[in-house]
Every structure is written in C-alpha cells, then in structure tokens.
Amino acid sequence: MPMGSQFSLSLELTKLVPFGSLFNAAGHGLVRLVRDIQASGSDFITEEDLAQVFGRNRIEPLFASTFRTAVKHSVIHQLTGIAELVIEGGAGPTVKRSLNEPGYFAMVVQLSLLTYTHELIGLTKALIKGFERRAHGASEYVAPPRYDALKGTLRAIREQTCGFMWELFISAVERKLFTTVGSTDGGLYHARVIPQVIIQALLDSFTAIQHMPEHTYLRIRTSTGMSTIVVWAHRVLGLSVRVDTKDQEYTFGQQPVSIYIDANSRGRTPEVALLNETNDSFFQLSTVPEDTSLMPISHHPIRDYGTISLRLMDDSPHRARSLVESIVTSCIVIARDCNEARYLGGRESEGRNHSTTRRSSFPTVQQVLSVSRLLFWSDVDVIDAINLDSELPCQARKSESELPRLVFGGFQELLRLTHVVLVISMARGFEEDLMLHIDSLEKTQYMPFNVPDARSAFISLVSLLQGRTPQREENATSRTSVVSAWGWSLCLGSLACQDPSDIGEDLVFFRGVPTRGGEKRRYIIDGVQPRRGLAARQREITLGDFALVSGPGEKCMLSSWAYSKKTRHFVGVTDDAFEVLQVLSCEPVAEGNHNQNHQPYSLTIGFRTMQEASWNVIHIPACEHSSTIGQSTILPDCVWTFHGFESPSNASFAAETVLAGLVAGASSARWILIDTMLRNWNSYLWPSRTICVRSRDCCFECSLQFAKSNRQGSSVGLVL
C-alpha cells in the first residue's frame, strides 16, 4: 500500500491550502480558551491537529448557513439550589470558537456528521490509524492524536451539535438510493458506516478535488457508507457524486462529476483511488486485515422513531400502518384505564414492602396522542383517524397480563414499542431531535405486560437514551439521578424541588450535559455517605422524641413544631459523574416545643434517594378549598397528630390509626419525617408502609380524610 504517496500529497496540499495555527498568533484569552475546551471534555491540541486536516475543506455556503443557524445557540438550565451545578447545552467552547474561524468550523461540521453515523470508539481508532498511515514517509515521526483526547473531542462535538438534524439529509439520500440498491449488508444503519480505508483516503482526497477540480477525481468501491459519503461530499462540501448500481446510476449535483462510487460491490473488498485527468493515480488504497471495523450508531431521532422501528421489523408499509393503529389504540386505552384507576400496572408486592404506584405519574390520553404523533410522524393520518371512544375487546379487561396477548397475538417486539410509547409519554421536555436507540426493540420471549410506573420508565428511558445498559457499577447506577447522552440529559424531578410536594414531573429531558464550572460529566449520582459507628447511628434514630399533640375529637391547628434551616450541598467529581449530597436541617421552634434542648436535626441525602422516597409515598392531590398554615379543624376518629421523628410504639394505637406529623411548611422537617417513616416505621414497630404526603394546595381537613380512606386494614402515616 503506497502510504508515502498519500503523505507527499498531504504535504503539497498543506502548501496549497495553508492553515493558520492558533499558536502562530498572540491570541487574547488563549489560556482561558484552552481551559474551557479542556473542561468541556474536548482537547485543545487534538482540535488543532484535526483542524489542520479537516479545516482545509470549504463548506458549501448554503449548508454552512443552515448548520450555523442550528448550532449557534446555547442554553443553561438551573436544576438545584447548587448554583454552580447546571445542565448546559448547545454551543460550547469548541463550537463557539468555530463560528468565527472557518477552518475550525469546517472541522466541526464534518466531524459532526461522522459522529452521527459512527460509534465513537471505532471512529476514534479509525482516525488514529488514518493519521498514522498518512504520516508514513515523513522525515520525522508525527504522533497521531491520543486516543482519550480524540474520543473526548469527538464526543464534545457530537454533544454541542446535537441540534442539527443530520437524519433529514441522510434519509433523503437513502430514500433515493436504496430503492435500487435495496437491502444492504448489516441493515439500514450499518449501510451508513464508511470503511476505515475510505475514511483514511477522504482525509486528503476531498481537499485535492476542491482545490484541483480539473485535475483530480475519486473512485470508490464499497457496499456500505454510500449515504454518508454522498452527504459529506455533496451536501457539505458541494461536490458532485455519482453512485453506480447494478441497474441504475444516481447523480447528486451538477456535471462534471468528481466522485464515483461503485455500490454494486457486495462481498468485494473496499477500495479507493485518487486519480488525475489522465487516469494516473496519486494513491490507491484497499482494505487490509488490521483495519478497524467501525460500528454503526443505531440511534434515530424521536420524530418518526416508531415508524422506522416498525418498517425495520416488517417492510410492508400497509401492515406497518395497521400496526400503528393497534399500538396507539392500546396505549390510549391503557392510559384511560390507569387514570380511572381500573388497574395499577407496575405495582409490586413483597410482603409488607410494596411499591405504591402514583396515579399522577401515568400519562394522560392527550399525552399519549401527542407522543404518538411524533413517534409515528409519517403515519400521523392514521393516528388522527383513531376513534378516541374505541375500546379493546372486553375480555382484555380481565387481567393486565392478558392484554398484550389479546392485542398483538404474542408479537413481543410490538409489545416493546407499546412500552416505548407509554414511557416517553411519562417524560417532558424532549424535542424532535432527541436521539433514541432503535435496537432496544429486540425480540425476546413473551412476558406478562406491566404498565410502567415512573421508576421503570426511568430505567427504560436510560436504555433508550444510551443505547445499552450503562456500563457502571450496580451501586452507582442505582444512585443515579441524571443521565446524559447525545447532548441530552434525562433528569429526575427531585433535582428541581425543595419541598416533597414540589416534585412535579418525575422525568424531564433537558438539552445539555451536567456542568460545574465548565467541567462536564455524564451522570449526577448520590454521594456515598461515610460509615458511622453504632453509637452515632443510635443517636440519629432517637432524635426528636415522639410526642402526641391532639387526638380524635380535639381541635388541632395546621402548623410545624420545627423550622427549616439553610440546606448545605457537597459536590464531588469522579471520572464520569458528579457525586452530590445535601444536608437538610431543621430546628425546633422555641415556643411550645417539647424538646427543651433545642437540638437541631439533620438528614444527609442525595437526589436519587429523595426521588425514591417520593415514589414510595402517596401524594395527596390538591383540593378545592383554601390551604393556609394556621387553619384549624376537629380531628376525626382514629386520627392523632404528633411532634418529633422517632417511631411510635405500635402497641399504643389501635389498628387503622392515622398518625399525622405536624411539619407543615417546613420542607426540611418534612423530608426528615418521610425518610424516618420509610426507614423505621416499616419495621416491627409499625407494620404499615402506607405513607401519605399533603400537597401545599390541600387543606387540613381534606388531607386527613384522604389518609383515612387509604387505611385499608392498616395504619397510615401522614406528613402534613
């Protein structure tokens, strides 16, 4: 393989198209720029090396304007009381610099395309090998970019340009091209992967063709990567491309053609040659055994995600449209049934420890319809024609586990797509360019269908966002509250609340990546609390002695025996995550306090633990009455109010008692009481895990009546 000839060509092109290194000029704020780029996960030196190659190409002016408009904006979402911890999305330091530097802009555009169609690990290895082989024949060894630095740079570019819809350009080429080419090796997404040897050749070939159009042209033989090459060469760089197939030729652009692709080469070795006007080659490359095998990105934007998924399962458009109707109709009925409390899917029971499913987390019919129109964009007319009063066969009501077998006749992949519609309907904040992994719909054995609750929806959405189960330690995954991929972050509602009743939407998407002081990580997880001795643990349990205040028939005022203090936050940094803990504190009020020592109480807790606590309690909905601190009512039978956090003795109360903690308006005290109830009241001291939490818009009397109605043979804890 004549590598030296490609290196010689590269040297000549460098002379022909000089690239001004940033180091050659005294750039004001250079140190700050380097720091910002490094903190974003990219690498300053690697960007310089990449720009020396990709920056020589000229981006087609109209496309450049379109791309610039799509990626130039940035956004910051403040999630918590931690001022420096935000979700930062859109244009970061790499993209912002490129908007004013044509060479860096060309680099960003082209690498954005490659990172959209290729898995990062394989693309990183392929580019490193390409740089190494180009350097053969050099008088001095030129080291290629470092693996970690290059991978980080590619990831940063992908995240910062995720707002550009490459799918529109690629799918337009594929609709024209694959009507003749047909099915390609490895499926639709594998057909977008450019072989490593061709990527290596294109590092210099496009530059040569752009700057010597009358003297150079390129011949490529490959069975994969055609659509990506066409978009790269024609739409991005403005070159003309012809794709030759067995039966037809397709030309993209005007004559003369500069790039010829032989797509009728299935089973043949990929090969590429850069030729001059007399058909003499500047260089010719072909695949060798040590080449890197690149893997495709099996992700698709949420817009039309469902339609593409169905057509990958069954290439009959008519059948796919009928399946859309079945899936959406089933989701509508499930949503209607859940909101009418006909059945509660996802409720799991194991002795006394059962997970309480919150009806408020189920999607409404309108949410299902809105998401379905986005997922099945090309078949939206089918959705609009659905009769919203339609019902499944009455026998489907017998059991939720029978539902999928009756609807789909055992098509497990369709059952999974129904699950996708429901879990996405439970999330908020996403836009049409949110990328979801399409291989999550693999065929599996039939299993009973459970309507997802917020906890299972979070797990499913993480898999759809990342494309696979996160390769992280199990204890770290269970502590996760924010997961980021493809420039989007999936966040739990606990990050945006102070009071337990403030947790509104359980699952929210934000464009961006967790950021602290410019430094980016892909996760926010609960920090690990230091181990404490038994004596310290015993002291914590006995904080806030239990003390009854009022009983049945007595007048009681909605109040709190403690007031909240300022919350303290602690943030640590690991290789891929921010570890966060917060200390919630409260202190007894002086007047009428049962604890004469005025000892402050505190709880060290993470956001995931707070969310788990919220999932495990029943949130009392708002009522139509006014709700104010200080309002009074007569306690009904079996209702007692108390101060403190310590667990009461079960022997002191009759069955089906409601014990209401007076912590109204004190957010930290409410969290501490919830945590104490969940950890201690479920022991032998209190054999019930039914815990209700009053919302701020529910009056005192209605919250007591709600708690009474949820006793169901056991006692209830109520957080006022």
Side-chain angles (χ1 to χ4, degrees):
M1 185 184 301
M3 298 292 182
S5 57
Q6 185 179 1
F7 176 76
S8 300
L9 175 64
S10 178
L11 287 179
E12 294 301 320
L13 290 173
T14 301
K15 297 176 183 178
L16 182 64
V17 192
F19 181 84
S21 170
L22 195 62
F23 290 115
N24 294 335
H28 177 68
L30 179 60
V31 174
R32 180 177 179 179
L33 175 63
V34 173
R35 182 181 293 113
D36 290 344
I37 289 175
Q38 299 295 122
S40 71
S42 185
D43 181 79
F44 183 81
I45 301 299
T46 301
E47 288 187 10
E48 183 79 4
D49 292 340
L50 293 171
Q52 293 284 350
V53 175
F54 291 95
R56 301 172 301 178
N57 298 335
R58 296 190 298 260
I59 306 300
E60 196 275 326
L62 182 59
F63 186 89
S65 176
T66 302
F67 188 89
R68 191 185 305 271
T69 301
V71 304
K72 67 181 180 180
H73 299 290
S74 58
V75 61
I76 296 178
H77 304 280
Q78 184 72 51
L79 293 181
T80 72
I82 313 175
E84 69 271 22
L85 188 59
V86 299
I87 301 294
E88 187 174 276
T94 299
V95 168
K96 288 179 179 178
R97 171 170 68 152
S98 74
L99 297 177
N100 299 314
E101 297 286 342
Y104 291 100
F105 181 75
M107 173 200 72
V108 166
V109 172
Q110 295 170 85
L111 290 178
S112 176
L113 170 62
L114 293 180
T115 58
Y116 183 85
T117 54
H118 298 79
E119 186 266 336
L120 286 183
I121 295 177
L123 179 60
T124 302
K125 294 178 179 178
L127 288 175
I128 289 175
K129 283 189 177 181
F131 273 75
E132 287 178 337
R133 292 174 178 176
R134 288 174 68 252
H136 286 190
S139 57
E140 296 183 3
Y141 176 71
V142 179
R146 295 181 297 107
Y147 174 83
D148 290 340
L150 179 55
K151 182 182 175 183
T153 300
L154 295 176
R155 184 191 298 274
I157 290 175
R158 186 172 74 180
E159 291 175 345
Q160 294 178 33
T161 61
C162 67
F164 187 78
M165 289 284 285
W166 284 110
E167 187 65 31
L168 299 178
F169 296 90
I170 297 174
S171 59
V173 172
E174 290 172 342
R175 283 194 298 270
K176 181 177 180 180
L177 200 58
F178 290 167
T179 55
T180 298
V181 176
S183 176
T184 58
D185 295 339
L188 175 64
Y189 293 97
H190 189 79
R192 299 177 176 183
V193 174
I194 305 175
Q196 193 239 302
V197 66
I198 297 178
I199 288 181
Q200 175 191 334
L202 297 183
L203 295 179
D204 294 304
S205 298
F206 285 156
T207 306
I209 293 171
Q210 276 195 327
H211 294 277
M212 298 181 292
E214 298 178 356
H215 304 288
T216 55
Y217 69 97
L218 188 67
R219 285 199 174 275
I220 299 172
R221 184 179 72 191
T222 181
S223 61
T224 65
M226 291 85 68
S227 56
T228 305
I229 296 173
V230 169
V231 172
W232 187 358
H234 174 58
R235 299 308 300 267
V236 176
L237 301 180
L239 303 174
S240 295
V241 183
R242 191 178 78 185
V243 180
D244 298 332
T245 69
K246 181 179 180 180
D247 303 314
Q248 195 170 349
E249 297 176 353
Y250 284 104
T251 300
F252 299 85
Q254 304 297 321
Q255 297 290 342
V257 174
S258 302
I259 300 164
Y260 298 85
I261 301 176
D262 178 7
N264 185 33
S265 54
R266 185 175 302 177
R268 300 169 64 187
T269 302
E271 189 175 88
V272 57
L274 182 65
L275 308 170
N276 62 16
E277 67 273 21
T278 60
N279 290 328
D280 296 323
S281 64
F282 290 99
F283 64 82
Q284 183 172 348
L285 306 176
S286 59
T287 297
V288 294
E290 57 268 23
D291 279 354
T292 298
S293 296
L294 281 80
M295 298 299 295
I297 289 291
S298 300
H299 276 68
H300 193 279
I302 191 172
R303 192 176 90 166
D304 240 3
Y305 174 90
T307 301
I308 296 298
S309 300
L310 287 175
R311 291 179 182 173
L312 289 175
M313 300 174 194
D314 190 329
D315 58 3
S316 169
H318 177 74
R319 175 171 168 78
R321 287 172 63 85
S322 67
L323 293 176
V324 169
E325 182 179 7
S326 297
I327 291 170
V328 177
T329 301
S330 300
C331 291
I332 290 172
V333 174
I334 291 170
R336 182 186 300 147
D337 283 0
C338 288
N339 285 282
E340 293 176 359
R342 297 187 184 179
Y343 56 80
L344 294 179
R347 171 172 290 185
E348 300 174 356
S349 180
E350 183 179 352
R352 294 177 310 194
N353 296 325
H354 64 274
S355 174
T356 302
T357 302
R358 293 169 49 193
R359 285 190 349 189
S360 61
S361 66
F362 293 135
T364 65
V365 171
Q366 291 304 318
Q367 288 168 343
V368 167
L369 285 172
S370 177
V371 168
S372 298
R373 290 188 178 99
L374 190 58
L375 287 168
F376 303 102
W377 182 271
S378 297
D379 299 312
V380 69
D381 58 316
V382 176
I383 299 171
D384 291 339
I386 292 176
N387 182 3
L388 295 183
D389 295 325
S390 62
E391 296 281 347
L392 289 178
C394 60
Q395 60 265 32
R397 308 292 186 187
K398 295 179 181 178
S399 168
E400 64 185 61
S401 64
E402 297 177 13
L403 179 63
R405 195 184 298 276
L406 290 168
V407 177
F408 301 127
F411 287 98
Q412 184 69 14
E413 61 271 24
L414 301 182
L415 177 59
R416 286 185 172 273
L417 193 51
T418 303
H419 180 82
V420 169
V421 174
L422 290 173
V423 299
I424 295 177
S425 299
M426 297 170 68
R428 307 290 176 270
F430 52 83
E431 298 177 22
E432 62 180 16
D433 58 333
L434 171 67
M435 299 292 291
L436 299 177
H437 191 64
I438 214 156
D439 283 353
S440 297
L441 303 174
E442 69 271 15
K443 296 180 180 180
T444 61
Q445 296 296 320
Y446 173 80
M447 65 179 69
F449 180 78
N450 287 325
V451 177
D453 59 10
R455 183 184 288 106
S456 62
F458 178 71
I459 296 172
S460 298
L461 288 173
V462 168
S463 178
L464 286 167
L465 185 64
Q466 293 190 318
R468 53 182 171 80
T469 301
Q471 299 296 317
R472 312 184 72 242
E473 295 181 5
E474 183 178 353
N475 65 334
T477 303
S478 64
R479 295 185 283 125
T480 301
S481 56
V482 177
V483 176
S484 177
W486 282 85
W488 283 88
S489 291
L490 174 63
C491 307
L492 294 176
S494 58
L495 279 90
C497 81
Q498 294 180 343
D499 189 86
S501 61
D502 290 340
I503 298 183
E505 309 297 346
D506 287 328
L507 308 171
V508 184
F509 281 101
F510 291 101
R511 186 187 299 277
V513 180
T515 306
R516 179 174 180 254
E519 192 172 12
K520 299 183 183 297
R521 293 294 184 269
R522 271 73 205 172
Y523 302 90
I524 295 178
I525 66 174
D526 290 358
V528 178
Q529 299 186 41
R531 295 181 179 274
R532 291 167 291 179
L534 179 60
R537 180 63 178 160
Q538 290 175 339
R539 285 197 300 271
E540 180 182 351
I541 292 177
T542 58
L543 288 178
D545 295 336
F546 180 86
L548 288 175
V549 176
S550 304
E554 298 178 350
K555 188 175 183 179
C556 185
M557 183 175 66
L558 185 63
S559 59
S560 177
W561 64 274
Y563 65 92
S564 299
K565 302 183 68 177
K566 183 178 180 180
T567 300
R568 293 175 293 159
H569 297 91
F570 299 91
V571 182
V573 183
T574 65
D575 289 342
D576 63 349
F578 294 115
E579 293 194 1
V580 180
L581 283 173
Q582 51 185 342
V583 180
L584 308 177
S585 303
C586 67
E587 190 167 327
V589 295
E591 182 179 356
N593 178 50
H594 68 285
N595 185 344
Q596 301 301 320
N597 295 325
H598 295 262
Q599 183 178 9
Y601 312 121
S602 63
L603 170 66
T604 303
I605 193 171
F607 292 115
R608 177 60 180 269
T609 305
M610 294 172 68
Q611 187 69 61
E612 291 285 346
S614 178
W615 284 334
N616 285 322
V617 300
I618 300 176
H619 290 252
I620 302 176
C623 69
E624 58 186 7
H625 311 113
S626 62
S627 175
T628 58
I629 302 297
Q631 63 183 189
S632 300
T633 189
I634 302 298
L635 299 184
D637 60 304
C638 300
V639 175
W640 299 79
T641 59
F642 68 93
H643 289 168
F645 299 129
E646 187 175 300
S647 304
S649 172
N650 187 48
S652 304
F653 301 95
E656 296 195 355
T657 299
V658 175
L659 281 182
L662 290 171
V663 287
S667 58
S668 294
R670 301 184 86 203
W671 278 117
I672 296 173
L673 182 56
I674 291 173
D675 180 74
T676 304
M677 287 181 173
L678 291 175
R679 287 192 295 110
N680 300 332
W681 288 27
N682 298 293
S683 64
Y684 64 90
L685 296 175
W686 193 290
S688 168
R689 195 179 177 178
T690 304
I691 299 172
C692 300
V693 178
R694 183 188 69 89
S695 71
R696 294 181 177 182
D697 298 324
C698 183
C699 71
F700 193 7
E701 184 175 354
C702 288
S703 62
L704 297 177
Q705 293 299 330
F706 185 96
K708 280 189 62 178
S709 67
N710 277 271
R711 289 177 295 174
Q712 299 178 354
S714 63
S715 299
V716 174
L718 173 59
V719 179
L720 290 170

